[in-house]
Amino acid sequence: MKITRITVWQLDLPLTEPYWLSGGRLKFERLDSTLIRIDTDEGVSGWGEGCPWGETYLPAHGPGLRAGVQTLAPSLLGQDPRSIDHVNRVMDVALPGHPYVKSPIDIACWDIMGQVAGLPLWQLLGGADAAPVLVNSSISTGTPDEMIALIHRAAETGYTVHSAKVGGSDIGADIARIEAISEALPKGHRVTFDVNRAWTPGVAIEVLNSTKARDWVEQPCETREQCAHVAARVPNPILLDECMSTFEDHLIAWKTQACEGVKVKPNRVGGLTKARRIRDFGVSVGWQMHIEDVGGSALADTAAIHLASSTPEANRLASWLCHYHLAHDPVPGQGARNAAGTTTPPSVPGLGVIPDTYHLGDPIAVYEA
Ligand code: MG
């Protein structure tokens, strides 16, 4: 089997409402997503999506993803998409780094592999069944009352786990925000306070030793080293996200006791192949993980939910579904959706999301052998 064609679509995905991160210093109103279809000489096609969260969240952006695919395409045409580790090595030689470029290609290869094997991705990734995964809401930074209102709104659609975005420049306001939200949580609900790297280590230590809240805290500071310094000096379990790109990042984070868990996001680490390695490492060292993607439609969400579902329940916290923040649905009704607080991956062979190109418009590039 050989890759004969790579077709690329660009999608503008407006958010239903503006979204603030990192104490309000980062604002997002639309996402720039790239959908990729890989065709083969045996008539099997696979789909992948890569969608950085805007331009300011990670060293990744939509135009860069598409430029990277253009660079990679000549090396990919003619390769066997079922040889997924080999395809990843080819991409790493042709374009070092740039994991977010490679993720949609890797996911499309997994989709093809699943169809050829006649198995859903959750099974190829090691799962025993299509286990339902808890979903978590994502609560934009605001006043305590605004954020609590958003949590109650999410609870109405079944969410019991929440990710509340904090990290303002006003230490007192952050302490008040954390205390108010932790105390106002509906019974049985859990929250992670996601700082999105806004605090210096001194501020993180001061805030987290001043609150009674003992909930998870995510990415308190910019770097892994800063977060490790904080983790040793606060009572809260720490989750790392933005500072983790490579397998080695995860190995060092474990060695330096920088965290009790991580976010595993295919688009941040280079696709399902590399995310699976990190997931397996996390299971082996007893981490608890949120497995979800950086952003995108239900297609990107579904790829990540296959990996989440195949992960032992003790090692996963919850998964966020980006597509609930989008004004448009380019794969209407398909893939992993929120069903009263959990989501389940499709059980058809492969990824289980096949976009109707009617909803995608004209492709922006076609690379052929
Ligand atoms: Mg985060």
Side-chain angles (χ1 to χ4, degrees):
M1 179 181 282
K2 287 183 167 41
I3 296 174
T4 53
R5 188 183 302 113
I6 301 169
T7 308
V8 181
W9 287 264
Q10 189 269 330
L11 296 183
D12 268 318
L13 300 176
L15 304 183
T16 53
E17 45 197 50
Y19 192 95
W20 283 268
L21 281 184
S22 204
R25 69 181 172 145
L26 305 179
K27 182 183 181 186
F28 304 86
E29 295 183 287
R30 58 174 279 283
L31 304 181
D32 177 351
S33 186
T34 304
L35 264 64
I36 289 179
R37 189 185 68 211
I38 290 181
D39 297 323
T40 64
D41 59 350
E42 295 188 18
V44 183
S45 299
W47 286 89
E49 180 178 11
C51 183
W53 184 261
E55 290 80 39
T56 53
Y57 174 63
L58 287 173
H61 68 139
L65 194 156
R66 293 182 290 278
V69 171
Q70 183 177 13
T71 301
L72 288 173
S75 305
L76 292 166
L77 294 167
Q79 298 290 343
D80 188 331
R82 299 168 302 181
S83 302
I84 296 181
D85 286 296
H86 171 73
V87 168
N88 272 273
R89 287 192 288 273
V90 166
M91 291 197 286
D92 286 341
V93 169
L95 184 68
H98 301 275
Y100 68 106
V101 170
K102 300 163 184 171
S103 183
I105 294 165
D106 175 77
I107 291 169
C109 289
W110 276 94
D111 186 15
I112 291 169
M113 175 74 104
Q115 292 174 59
V116 171
L119 296 172
L121 292 196
W122 56 258
Q123 193 159 21
L124 284 185
L125 293 163
D129 50 28
V133 174
L134 273 177
V135 292
N136 68 268
S137 72
S138 189
I139 306 297
S140 173
T141 303
T143 66
D145 285 348
E146 288 167 345
M147 295 179 75
I148 290 165
L150 287 174
I151 286 174
H152 283 132
R153 200 171 83 187
E156 286 168 13
T157 53
Y159 286 98
T160 59
V161 187
H162 310 278
S163 173
K165 308 302 177 182
V166 299
S169 54
D170 181 336
I171 294 176
D174 253 345
I175 293 171
R177 202 183 264 131
I178 290 170
E179 295 269 284
I181 292 170
S182 192
E183 285 174 16
L185 274 187
K187 191 170 168 49
H189 286 222
R190 289 186 290 130
V191 65
T192 294
F193 292 104
D194 192 354
V195 190
N196 293 109
R197 61 191 198 275
W199 290 335
T200 58
V203 169
I205 291 165
E206 182 175 348
V207 170
L208 296 177
N209 284 297
S210 301
T211 70
K212 292 193 292 290
R214 292 293 178 264
D215 311 280
W216 283 82
V217 171
E218 182 174 330
Q219 193 69 43
C221 305
E222 189 77 36
T223 68
R224 196 185 56 230
E225 290 81 358
Q226 291 170 353
C227 292
H229 183 87
V230 170
R233 291 164 177 82
V234 301
N236 307 68
I238 299 292
L239 201 70
L240 294 184
D241 185 353
E242 290 100 303
C243 68
M244 309 291 274
S245 299
T246 65
F247 183 85
E248 191 179 22
D249 288 331
H250 294 77
L251 188 61
I252 294 172
W254 173 67
K255 281 185 174 174
T256 56
Q257 302 180 9
C259 61
E260 282 72 37
V262 293
K263 284 255 168 106
V264 182
K265 297 179 175 175
N267 195 250
R268 175 158 51 61
V269 302
L272 282 174
T273 300
K274 288 169 178 165
R276 179 188 55 166
R277 273 179 215 152
I278 291 164
R279 184 278 306 267
D280 291 345
F281 176 72
V283 170
S284 71
V285 299
W287 276 347
Q288 287 171 275
M289 295 170 275
H290 279 258
I291 302 176
E292 60 202 36
D293 215 341
V294 176
S297 75
L299 196 157
D301 287 338
T302 300
I305 294 303
H306 278 289
L307 184 64
S309 173
S310 70
T311 300
E313 193 172 0
N315 297 102
R316 53 177 154 83
L317 289 163
S319 299
W320 169 68
L321 297 173
C322 177
H323 69 266
Y324 281 95
H325 294 262
L326 304 178
H328 302 320
D329 186 353
V331 287
Q334 295 194 62
R337 306 275 165 164
N338 174 23
T342 65
T343 187
T344 306
S347 282
V348 297
L351 177 67
V353 177
I354 304 172
D356 181 340
T357 53
Y358 168 81
H359 295 291
L360 307 184
D362 293 329
I364 58 131
V366 181
Y367 306 102
E368 291 184 278

